[in-house]
Amino acid sequence: MERRKSNRGGHVNSAFDSNLDEPPIYEETEFSNDEHRMVRPSVISAFGHDTLDRVPNIDFYRNAGSVSGHRAVRPSLQELHDVFQKNGAISVPETVTDDGEGSEGTPSDDLESAAPIDVNKGAVKFGWIRGVLVRCMLNIWGVMLFIRLSWVFGQAGWGLGIVVIALSCVVTTITGLSMSAICTNGVVRGGGAYYLISRSLGPEFGGSIGLIFAFANAVAVAMYVVGFAETVVDLLKEYAHLMVDEINDIRIIGCITVVLLLGISVAGMEWEAKAQIVLLVILLVAIVNVFVGTALPPTEDKKSKGFFGYKTKIFMENFTPAFRNGETFFSVFAIFFPAATGILAGANISGDLRDAQAAIPKGTLLAILITGITYLAVALCVSGTVVRDATGNTTDIVTSGFPCNGSSVAACELGYNFSSCATEPCKFGLMNNFQVMTMVSGFGPLITAGTFSATLSSALASLVSAPKVFQALCKDNIYKALHFFAKGHGKNNEPIRGYILTFIISVAFILIGNLNTIAPIISNFFLASYALINFSCFHASYAKSPGWRPAYKYYNMWLSLLGALLCCVVMFVINWWAALLTYGIEILLYIYVTVKKPDVNWGSSTQAVTFVSAVSNALSLSGVEDHVKNFRPQILLLTGSVRARPALLDLAHSFTKNYGLCLSCEVLMGPRSEILPEMNNGMEKNQQWLNKTKRKAFYAAVACDSFREGAETLLQASGLGRMKPNTLMIGFKKNWRTAEKEAVQSYVGILHDAFDFEYGTVVLRMNQGLDVSHLVEAEEEMLKAAKEQQALDNEMMPNGGKARGLFRKSRHSSQQVLTTRVSVCGPPPPQVAKMNERLVEASGQFKKKQPKGTTDVWWLFDDGGLTLLLPYILTTRKKWKDSKLRIFIAGQPGRTEIDKQEMRSLLHKFRIKCSDITVIDDIHIKPTDDNLKKLEDMIEPFRLHEGSKGRDQAEGIQKEYPWKITDAELSSFEEKTHLQVRLNELLQEHSKSANLIVLSMPIARKGSISDFLYMAWLDILTKDLPPTLLIRGNHKSVLTFYS
């Protein structure tokens, strides 16, 4: 922390003073990642001295685009830790301003980055009563309350009827508790159930359930409107005023109703909320009307229809179930439960709530309580006043001496004989008359009005919910084809396009849909949403992520899991084929989103559980000793930047893809102040490139003073537990003869270090070379120039380059930036261009399918089997299936067939197939003079030639050039040196046309063989050959023939 002289309160810390009456003076700065931000000078903090540090403030924790241009940025660790600037100026970023990049529809254009609506600009925001409680109650109080509730209690009796209502309330209450926990774990934006599920479980679950949930709400509009239209048509029939016929009248009335509801919705949320209040008043009056009616004394007509007022005998008779016509408890429950599926009505407009975190839990749970009690109270009142069967005939009076038995004992004791209902169907009573509520009410038409209110309020809630959820889904751009519907209009960002789509779907189903068939599917869609909300709460709790800190504490993870299972069970209870269809659609959408991989990161519990599982599995693995049967190459790959050596990366990826660990590593050398920012910025960039190009590998980088020191660090510290590299893979140093001696010593030293740390070692050589970093840099430079040119063109055009029609941008735009770049860099000479072309072609060699040919394995030394295992792994890959294995081994003259048979037997035991085995029995022959001359010319610049000098002179030269090749060294290792030359001759003879050569790598004994002689061995051994892999295992078995 730097200190500067204080001016005794002359400035105020912006993070400490929340008022900021006077605007701060900003200056512009540029950061290493090309990000331009506005900064303000440091200020006197609450600590009494001048410092860059800031006190905690909510503005530091906002999302990057949530409050465009107003998110505060705390000073970075580098800004606090780096060397103090000489001029003494201290500055710190204060806000971030959007750079304008990214078009509408990019994955970043999601709900997280949308600027919240300013309530002071006239946007309508609801509290928990109007926004959640009223909507949920209206959605839960459906036509079931007035039409089918009496039938449910008639079939199940009030004993099991209470169980039906209680079980429904248990499912919805658990879901409400889970939803409350999720809602209070962070700011809730628009999107309702979709938002909650997607931010908890990720875009795969959220995207799949969001689409079917929005569709379910759209079709539910049609269902509720048809229910309203049917009631109206029944009234028209009663008074003989049908317009056309029954079915067409339903269609006409339904379409007119949807148009009116659409008008209310499009007019704005304020109008829709007022309409909901009016409907709630009507509904409450209708409910009170039922209670009042049951307390009034019954007329003779009502008695003949089964209504006798409150009677204990009737109440007790209706206690036991009396299932008829194949009905069971589960079928009755399936009919009632959809009435309870309105608990998301408030959450679905979460974007229009003043405080969604507080409103959704309070309003939803209270709505469940009130509606549950209402259903129970109405049902018990009817069960205590109306018998199950009645004829409706006022003359069916019990005569004196008539025995009271059978199913109508209570009615008989009250003076009515309904025994005929046991043999022939009756039209009245709980079991037969769906208009029981109208009969028992104080004023019948109010029940009809209540039915109208229940259907219209539910239809209106669904008509608002569907577009809101759909808009949130489209804004996240999970389904790119649907982004058209993300646009909002007006002060409330109303989804007008979504309203029109919902209207079209509703009208279509009113006109052509078989709603009796579709109804169970819609109920299952809602239940699937409930199940995932419960599972989201369980999953987040199970992951134990530190970010899971819901303010609402009255939940339990196992209760949430129970709720999810109950929802799944209820889905099958309602309709088994609809449940299967729901799961099928959801799985297909899940697979689609997974394959598309939307570029969003919401910190889902799925990520948290994946991390926990990975740590757990890694710990479990660390407790198990390695076994040869489970050996797989775990490669530490020295590629530099991930794009620098594509051929090396592609071949390593072929060894490890999906089955092993591959670390693409880079050593950055230079002053720490320069390379650390480069390394930190490159970490995510390189890993993203690997992911984007589907390379199953990790990127790692270290900053060190030397290449060998960095590689040594990677060799020792890379990996985690058993998941650590066991094989070093590196490219051959092609320029070793022209490189600095320190670079050669560092390269050979890395190979020595790999052997010391018991790594298997793999060296790849390609004649064209491996390093394409200079071409990558040139490409990036051209892309940067093209962007600058585009920016320049946009500045020269009106409206930022967005002109249309006659003002469309000219195709012959200014080329000054590109011209400047080209003139500075200049095109490469033809020879260099041709070399680059061959290099690019060779760099993609292992990315494409290999032609028919062979992979020649020269297994000369037993290194534990790695030289054989790696090429075998290649044969299991699709790209290499046409490249057959050929095995070459060294043998003694006269034993060729015996050696071949022994190798064939060994390969058979290893279960490794090969197309041919060749025994080389003339390795010991001296190489030709021409090839020896090539070797001598290769090492001539690095020889000491001390033998031709005097002793004192020779000793002096040897001390001055200890790294050079001595005559004594050449003499001592003459046979081994000649062996490398001879092997190259044999490789030229037998494997010149192979797709890949795999060859046992010679080892240089430390302290005996100089670095330059060893490089000469590797060079002459692999010279002028197809791509060649030099492999040396760590001499521990990686193959076994035991089971």
Side-chain angles (χ1 to χ4, degrees):
M1 186 183 297
E2 299 83 0
R3 294 177 181 268
R4 291 181 63 195
K5 186 177 179 181
S6 172
N7 61 356
R8 300 296 179 188
H11 299 279
V12 181
N13 186 345
S14 62
F16 184 74
D17 181 11
S18 59
N19 295 322
L20 293 176
D21 295 324
E22 296 183 3
I25 300 173
Y26 292 95
E27 60 185 45
E28 191 171 312
T29 189
E30 184 173 340
F31 294 87
S32 58
N33 59 354
D34 296 330
E35 180 185 1
H36 293 272
R37 296 188 294 191
M38 303 302 294
V39 300
R40 61 185 291 176
S42 66
V43 292
I44 304 300
S45 74
F47 305 103
H49 64 273
D50 207 350
T51 176
L52 287 181
D53 267 329
R54 293 290 183 260
V55 296
N57 188 278
I58 189 173
D59 291 337
F60 292 139
Y61 296 90
R62 300 189 187 278
N63 281 334
S66 63
V67 195
S68 184
H70 298 286
R71 181 175 71 96
V73 178
R74 67 178 65 83
S76 69
L77 191 60
Q78 286 73 26
E79 289 168 332
L80 292 173
H81 184 247
D82 282 351
V83 177
F84 189 71
Q85 299 298 318
K86 290 182 179 179
N87 58 12
I90 306 176
S91 61
V92 56
E94 197 66 35
T95 60
V96 166
T97 304
D98 292 341
D99 57 6
E101 290 186 5
S103 60
E104 188 177 46
T106 58
S108 62
D109 185 21
D110 61 13
L111 290 176
E112 301 296 343
S113 59
I117 299 169
D118 187 356
V119 270
N120 298 323
K121 293 183 179 179
V124 178
K125 293 290 182 179
F126 301 111
W128 71 274
I129 296 178
R130 289 179 66 193
V132 182
L133 179 64
V134 170
R135 291 172 185 279
C136 288
M137 288 196 303
L138 284 172
N139 234 22
I140 298 172
W141 280 332
V143 291
M144 174 68 63
L145 184 64
F146 300 113
I147 295 178
R148 300 297 290 273
L149 185 61
S150 57
W151 177 87
V152 168
F153 270 62
Q155 291 276 356
W158 61 265
L160 286 181
I162 292 174
V163 175
V164 168
I165 294 177
L167 186 56
S168 301
C169 288
V170 165
V171 174
T172 55
T173 302
I174 293 175
T175 306
L177 294 173
S178 301
M179 184 168 60
S180 300
I182 298 171
C183 285
T184 57
N185 192 53
V187 176
V188 178
R189 299 282 179 82
Y194 159 72
Y195 184 90
L196 299 179
I197 294 170
S198 62
R199 270 47 176 187
S200 296
L201 292 178
E204 296 84 6
F205 283 103
S208 58
I209 201 64
L211 198 59
I212 65 174
F213 185 71
F215 176 76
N217 273 287
V219 179
V221 175
M223 289 177 52
Y224 294 129
V225 168
V226 167
F228 167 76
E230 286 178 346
T231 309
V232 175
V233 169
D234 286 342
L235 290 174
L236 293 176
K237 280 171 60 180
E238 186 177 339
Y239 295 100
H241 281 87
L242 286 177
M243 292 178 285
V244 185
D245 55 50
E246 189 173 342
I247 186 67
N248 283 311
D249 280 11
I250 290 175
R251 291 171 176 167
I252 294 169
I253 295 169
C255 290
I256 294 172
T257 305
V258 172
V259 171
L260 294 174
L261 293 177
L262 178 66
I264 295 173
S265 302
V266 172
M269 291 297 294
E270 184 66 31
W271 283 94
E272 186 266 349
K274 289 177 180 177
Q276 293 280 27
I277 295 294
V278 173
L279 294 173
L280 176 65
V281 171
I282 296 172
L283 199 52
L284 289 174
V285 171
I287 292 171
V288 171
N289 184 40
V290 173
F291 291 121
V292 171
T294 56
L296 296 176
T299 63
E300 292 300 320
D301 180 62
K302 287 186 177 182
K303 287 183 178 180
S304 67
K305 294 178 180 178
F307 174 63
F308 295 94
Y310 290 101
K311 303 293 181 183
T312 305
K313 294 177 181 178
I314 296 177
F315 193 60
M316 296 310 298
E317 185 178 80
N318 288 335
F319 172 73
T320 56
F323 296 113
R324 300 179 192 173
N325 302 323
E327 300 291 351
T328 64
F329 171 79
F330 293 108
S331 65
V332 171
F333 175 77
I335 290 171
F336 174 81
F337 186 80
T341 57
I343 63 171
L344 293 179
N348 287 338
I349 62 160
S350 53
D352 296 300
L353 299 176
R354 193 175 299 116
D355 183 4
Q357 287 180 279
I360 293 175
K362 194 188 303 182
T364 303
L365 293 173
L366 190 57
I368 293 171
L369 177 64
I370 294 172
T371 53
I373 292 174
T374 305
Y375 271 116
L376 200 56
V378 171
L380 290 176
C381 286
V382 174
S383 297
T385 57
V386 184
V387 295
R388 281 193 168 103
D389 297 291
T391 60
N393 192 344
T394 56
T395 60
D396 289 337
I397 301 173
V398 175
T399 56
S400 59
F402 184 82
C404 291
N405 50 37
S407 60
S408 304
V409 176
C412 179
E413 292 178 355
L414 292 171
Y416 278 82
N417 180 13
F418 298 146
S419 58
S420 60
C421 293
T423 56
E424 58 185 48
C426 293
K427 294 183 179 181
F428 298 96
L430 294 177
M431 302 288 282
N432 311 303
N433 184 13
F434 289 160
Q435 302 299 326
V436 167
M437 296 298 179
T438 305
M439 179 188 69
V440 302
S441 65
F443 184 60
L446 277 178
I447 301 301
T448 304
T451 305
F452 288 169
S453 174
T455 52
L456 291 177
S457 62
S458 298
L460 191 55
S462 297
L463 185 57
V464 170
S465 298
K468 294 281 186 182
V469 173
F470 193 58
Q471 182 188 35
L473 175 66
C474 296
K475 273 189 175 183
D476 286 341
N477 211 25
I478 292 176
Y479 303 101
K480 295 186 183 298
L482 301 178
H483 190 73
F484 171 79
F485 296 97
K487 185 174 178 60
H489 298 80
K491 59 189 178 184
N492 254 44
N493 197 33
E494 294 292 344
I496 303 299
R497 296 172 181 178
Y499 281 128
I500 295 172
L501 179 63
T502 304
F503 170 76
I504 293 171
I505 293 172
S506 304
V507 171
F509 277 96
I510 289 171
L511 295 178
I512 64 174
N514 185 348
L515 296 184
N516 289 332
T517 305
I518 294 171
I521 301 176
I522 303 308
S523 296
N524 274 288
F525 281 179
F526 286 127
L527 276 167
S529 304
Y530 296 174
L532 279 180
I533 288 173
N534 282 307
F535 185 72
S536 298
C537 182
F538 163 77
H539 205 254
S541 303
Y542 176 77
K544 291 182 171 61
S545 172
W548 174 248
R549 303 184 301 274
Y552 187 85
K553 300 298 182 183
Y554 303 103
Y555 74 97
N556 181 275
M557 60 182 287
W558 301 112
L559 195 62
S560 296
L561 180 61
L562 175 64
L565 294 175
L566 281 176
C567 289
C568 294
V569 170
V570 172
M571 289 173 69
F572 282 95
V573 168
I574 290 177
N575 191 298
W576 65 268
W577 63 261
L580 292 177
L581 181 63
T582 303
Y583 286 129
I585 294 173
E586 190 172 334
I587 290 170
L588 287 176
L589 292 172
Y590 179 91
I591 293 171
Y592 173 83
V593 177
T594 303
V595 170
K596 288 296 182 180
K597 288 185 173 62
D599 188 17
V600 293
N601 183 8
W602 295 320
S604 66
S605 60
T606 305
Q607 294 172 347
V609 169
T610 301
F611 178 83
V612 171
S613 300
V615 172
S616 177
N617 291 335
L619 289 171
S620 300
L621 200 61
S622 65
V624 180
E625 289 187 12
D626 289 331
H627 194 281
V628 63
K629 286 196 297 183
N630 292 325
F631 176 87
R632 61 191 66 214
Q634 317 269 49
I635 295 179
L636 191 153
L637 186 64
L638 292 178
T639 58
S641 171
V642 292
R643 298 180 63 188
R645 293 168 177 80
L648 189 65
L649 178 61
D650 289 335
L651 189 58
H653 187 245
S654 296
F655 291 139
T656 61
K657 182 180 180 181
N658 295 329
Y659 303 105
L661 178 69
C662 181
L663 287 176
S664 176
C665 300
E666 181 175 13
V667 178
L668 295 168
M669 296 170 289
R672 291 174 66 89
S673 59
E674 296 178 10
I675 61 174
L676 283 178
E678 179 186 349
M679 185 180 75
N680 293 335
N681 292 334
M683 281 288 187
E684 188 173 354
K685 179 181 175 183
N686 282 285
Q687 187 62 56
Q688 284 180 348
W689 186 87
L690 289 171
N691 297 339
K692 187 177 180 180
T693 55
K694 299 183 179 178
R695 306 297 210 286
K696 304 295 178 64
F698 299 96
Y699 172 76
V702 292
C704 288
D705 295 331
S706 70
F707 182 51
R708 182 177 182 182
E709 182 184 338
E712 189 176 6
T713 301
L714 289 167
L715 287 168
Q716 293 182 84
S718 296
L720 184 69
R722 298 288 180 192
M723 293 180 62
K724 62 183 302 181
N726 53 31
T727 305
L728 170 70
M729 189 166 178
I730 191 173
F732 178 71
K733 190 171 182 60
K734 187 180 179 182
N735 67 338
W736 67 275
R737 282 187 284 176
T738 58
E740 298 287 338
K741 67 178 178 63
E742 290 81 7
V744 177
Q745 290 172 332
S746 178
Y747 180 85
V748 177
I750 290 170
L751 299 180
H752 284 307
D753 292 337
F755 293 138
D756 286 341
F757 297 133
E758 295 189 341
Y759 273 69
T761 306
V762 180
V763 177
L764 173 64
R765 178 172 187 178
M766 298 179 71
N767 286 331
Q768 296 83 357
L770 295 168
D771 190 0
V772 298
S773 56
H774 59 291
L775 301 178
V776 173
E777 289 174 6
E779 179 188 348
E780 290 177 347
E781 186 72 14
M782 289 300 294
L783 287 174
K784 188 175 181 180
K787 284 185 178 179
E788 291 178 9
Q789 180 65 45
Q790 183 66 40
L792 184 63
D793 290 342
N794 289 344
E795 287 178 8
M796 296 173 64
M797 292 299 298
N799 299 324
K802 297 180 181 178
R804 299 184 180 183
L806 295 174
F807 299 97
R808 187 171 296 159
K809 212 166 24 175
S810 169
R811 292 180 182 271
H812 305 287
S813 57
S814 170
Q815 295 292 311
Q816 69 181 77
V817 174
L818 289 173
T819 303
T820 304
R821 298 266 181 182
V822 172
S823 63
V824 171
C825 302
Q831 186 179 358
V832 175
K834 197 167 185 179
M835 287 176 59
N836 288 341
E837 186 178 340
R838 288 199 298 268
L839 178 59
V840 170
E841 183 180 354
S843 68
Q845 180 171 341
F846 299 128
K847 192 175 182 180
K848 57 189 178 183
K849 192 177 188 298
Q850 299 301 302
K852 286 189 176 181
T854 62
T855 299
D856 290 356
V857 181
W858 291 69
W859 195 15
L860 305 179
F861 313 110
D862 193 327
D863 59 352
L866 188 65
T867 307
L868 183 61
L869 179 63
L870 290 182
Y872 163 74
I873 290 174
L874 283 182
T875 63
T876 65
R877 307 297 190 231
K878 288 182 180 180
K879 293 177 184 177
W880 291 84
K881 67 177 182 179
D882 293 332
S883 189
K884 306 301 180 184
L885 278 186
R886 291 198 305 178
I887 308 296
F888 295 83
I889 59 172
Q892 299 177 10
R895 281 180 49 92
T896 302
E897 289 302 321
I898 297 174
D899 291 339
K900 182 184 289 188
Q901 188 58 40
E902 287 178 353
M903 178 54 62
R904 183 176 286 111
S905 174
L906 180 60
L907 292 176
H908 178 72
K909 288 184 177 180
F910 284 152
R911 288 92 60 203
I912 294 177
K913 295 180 180 180
C914 66
S915 61
D916 187 34
I917 299 175
T918 302
V919 178
I920 307 297
D921 58 3
D922 55 350
I923 293 181
H924 60 281
I925 297 176
K926 186 178 179 181
T928 63
D929 292 338
D930 288 343
N931 288 326
L932 286 175
K933 182 69 168 56
K934 290 179 182 177
L935 174 67
E936 290 173 1
D937 293 342
M938 187 182 292
I939 63 175
E940 179 61 30
F942 312 106
R943 290 189 61 181
L944 198 62
H945 291 294
E946 81 280 8
S948 61
K949 300 178 176 62
R951 176 183 293 182
D952 293 341
Q953 187 181 4
E955 289 178 356
I957 295 175
Q958 198 164 356
K959 286 182 180 178
E960 186 178 357
Y961 303 104
W963 48 271
K964 284 198 172 186
I965 305 169
T966 64
D967 294 341
E969 181 185 355
L970 275 179
S971 176
S972 299
F973 296 100
E974 182 180 9
E975 290 184 358
K976 201 164 185 178
T977 303
H978 287 181
L979 174 63
Q980 314 310 321
V981 182
R982 175 59 183 159
L983 281 174
N984 181 262
E985 293 176 349
L986 293 169
L987 287 163
Q988 298 281 355
E989 178 185 346
H990 294 280
S991 299
K992 186 68 175 176
S993 60
N995 290 335
L996 179 69
I997 298 173
V998 179
L999 177 63
S1000 291
M1001 179 179 175
I1003 293 182
R1005 190 177 296 276
K1006 288 191 298 183
S1008 301
I1009 299 175
S1010 63
D1011 296 335
F1012 281 88
L1013 180 59
Y1014 185 50
M1015 289 302 299
W1017 284 3
L1018 300 183
D1019 195 343
I1020 199 68
L1021 177 61
T1022 57
K1023 191 175 181 62
D1024 299 327
L1025 291 173
T1028 304
L1029 268 183
L1030 293 171
I1031 300 179
R1032 176 66 72 156
N1034 63 0
H1035 286 247
K1036 294 179 181 178
S1037 295
V1038 298
L1039 294 169
T1040 182
F1041 46 79
Y1042 294 107
S1043 59

